[in-house]
Amino acid sequence: MPHPPPRHRTISREEAPRPEEQARPPIKGRGTVWAIEHRYSRQGGESYDDGWGTLEQSASEERLPPETTVIEERVKSILSGNDSPDLSFDLSINPYRGCEHGCVYCFARPTHSYLDLSPGLDFETKIIAKVNAAERLREAFASRAYEPTTINIGSATDAYQPIERKLGITRSLIEVMAECAHPFSLVTKSSGIERDLDLVAPMAARGLVAVYVSVTSLDPAIARVLEPRAAAPHRRLKTIEALARAGVPVGVSVSPIIPFINEPEIERVLEAAASAGASSAFGIVLRLPWEVNPIFQRWLDQHFPDRAARVMARVREMRGGRDYKADFGSRMKGEGVWAELLQQRLAKAKKRLGLDRERAVLDVTQFRKPLPRRPDGQTDLFA
């Protein structure tokens, strides 16, 4: 059955960058400079020419790189349920909302809309830190109704983004996991997890941990504009080496797969990961939900104008002629001939490199509820 011709999406006036934003060059260390208004915004502003050269002046003014603001939040709960059949876990924890890595393609960007913040620049400069996450996790584990199941840490935003060095929220969560012998998986594109190997390695020896490192590209130039504040590609490979050497089951995620950008590297990324010690692999095609779509397309025009039209034409080919379809079952893989070819390439490379093992099955039988805490915060050993 022939595919429908590609349909080009028209960006609304609210989605379009203002003239001064359109003219603003990329900022080193940021995925976007566009503070796109979110879909729930009730009011918006529009730049206009007042006859005094205001627009030209604004576009030419030197601007300081936006600083990162960390907003501490005390949450009521920390476990999020998953109802998607596309994912291999039932519960997840995201210690942070927003992510300073600034990955332009991040499917979690639209979640900042719920906070009345921009999924664009705000998502990577206004980070919400769930400072009482470990306390809430302990409470959840202590509940009589709680039944252990594998929990994924960092399913939306990276649990080891830069602020983790200072706050240590992820480490505090792993401490609770270790105390309760609770299994977890973790996805990251940071080397920060190496700092917690003293906790992770002993748990891995008991079948309680699996880690997946995201390696999107081996090309430093692509990685620098695609994921500006994430670890460099060679550093992520060293993290895979460190995890494997410590006995931690480690897989590699070649995600997202972007046609004509990092897609030609699929086999090379898998080869490098296998050489570093990875034992499994998976890949997810580019997803463009909500505000991610105009942000990504503008990024394409800025950094890859020579192939932007080809990239989007191929994306639409995998999405039934649209920019994105969120249907369960196909949203991670796409549909059509080209999506099938991608899956075949992944499968053949994984088999050839020994990366076709099933994801690690973690042991939930060792779980024990946390010991009660005294008013001074110490564990009561004789409860």
Side-chain angles (χ1 to χ4, degrees), residues 12 38 88 106 116 132 141 148 178-179 201 213 221 224 234 236 244 256 264 294 333 350 358 367 371 374:
S12 67
H38 58 78
S88 59
C106 184
D116 198 24
N132 64 332
F141 285 173
E179 176 190 339
V213 178
R224 192 174 297 114
H234 73 275
R236 297 184 218 181
K333 298 179 180 180
K350 286 163 59 176
E358 294 294 327
F367 172 71
L371 294 171
R374 301 197 306 253

Side-chain angles (χ1 to χ4, degrees), residues 64-86:
L64 296 175
E67 296 182 351
T68 300
T69 301
V70 177
I71 303 167
E72 295 187 353
E73 178 185 32
R74 300 191 67 82
V75 295
K76 295 181 179 179
S77 63
I78 194 61
L79 293 175
S80 298
N82 163 52
D83 59 359
S84 169
D86 301 318

Side-chain angles (χ1 to χ4, degrees), residues 82-342:
N82 163 52
D83 59 359
S84 169
D86 301 318
L87 302 176
S88 59
F89 53 86
D90 296 321
L91 294 174
S92 65
I93 297 175
N94 289 289
Y96 303 96
R97 296 184 186 185
C99 186
E100 198 176 359
H101 283 163
C103 305
V104 72
Y105 55 75
C106 184
F107 67 86
R109 281 182 178 272
T111 61
H112 252 42
S113 300
Y114 306 136
L115 307 174
D116 198 24
L117 295 171
S118 169
L121 190 58
D122 286 348
F123 180 78
E124 52 194 275
T125 58
K126 292 181 172 59
I127 311 301
I128 313 300
K130 303 175 185 179
V131 293
N132 64 332
E135 176 186 343
R136 292 293 178 250
L137 182 61
R138 176 180 290 278
E139 290 174 358
F141 285 173
S143 168
R144 290 184 178 182
Y146 182 77
E147 294 291 336
T149 181
T150 298
I151 293 174
N152 181 264
I153 301 178
S155 59
T157 55
D158 204 307
Y160 283 102
Q161 56 181 288
I163 193 59
E164 170 63 16
R165 294 191 191 99
K166 177 181 178 182
L167 298 184
I169 297 175
T170 300
R171 182 177 177 87
S172 69
L173 289 167
I174 296 176
E175 287 173 342
V176 176
M177 299 277 193
E179 176 190 339
C180 299
H182 195 293
F184 71 92
S185 60
L186 189 144
V187 182
T188 184
K189 52 174 62 74
S190 170
S191 60
I193 191 171
E194 295 178 38
R195 298 191 298 270
D196 292 340
L197 274 175
D198 60 316
L199 297 171
V200 173
M203 292 185 70
R206 299 170 60 187
L208 296 172
V209 177
V211 176
Y212 300 91
V213 178
S214 174
V215 183
T216 314
S217 172
L218 299 178
D219 185 333
I222 291 178
R224 192 174 297 114
V225 295
L226 191 65
E227 306 158 333
R229 295 203 177 189
H234 73 275
R235 189 64 186 84
R236 297 184 218 181
L237 293 174
K238 287 185 177 180
T239 296
I240 292 176
E241 286 182 1
L243 290 165
R245 191 165 53 246
V248 180
V250 55
V252 61
S253 168
V254 191
S255 308
I257 299 173
I258 307 173
F260 308 117
I261 302 295
N262 69 332
E263 162 267 320
E265 298 184 70
I266 289 175
E267 289 81 3
R268 295 198 300 275
V269 171
L270 293 179
E271 288 171 2
S275 296
S279 57
S280 63
F282 67 92
I284 299 171
V285 299
L286 176 68
R287 298 168 57 190
L288 296 175
W290 300 106
E291 295 90 349
V292 182
N293 187 12
I295 290 171
F296 177 79
Q297 290 198 47
R298 185 186 175 206
W299 175 88
L300 264 182
D301 290 336
Q302 282 186 318
H303 296 282
F304 297 96
D306 59 322
R307 68 191 92 164
R310 290 175 63 208
V311 170
M312 289 309 302
R314 188 55 56 86
V315 167
R316 295 177 185 117
E317 183 180 336
M318 292 191 292
R319 301 296 185 187
R322 293 153 60 181
D323 290 354
Y324 183 57
K325 288 174 65 176
D327 299 350
F328 288 160
S330 65
R331 62 178 183 157
M332 302 291 198
K333 298 179 180 180
E335 57 189 28
V337 174
W338 208 77
E340 292 174 5
L341 288 174
L342 275 183

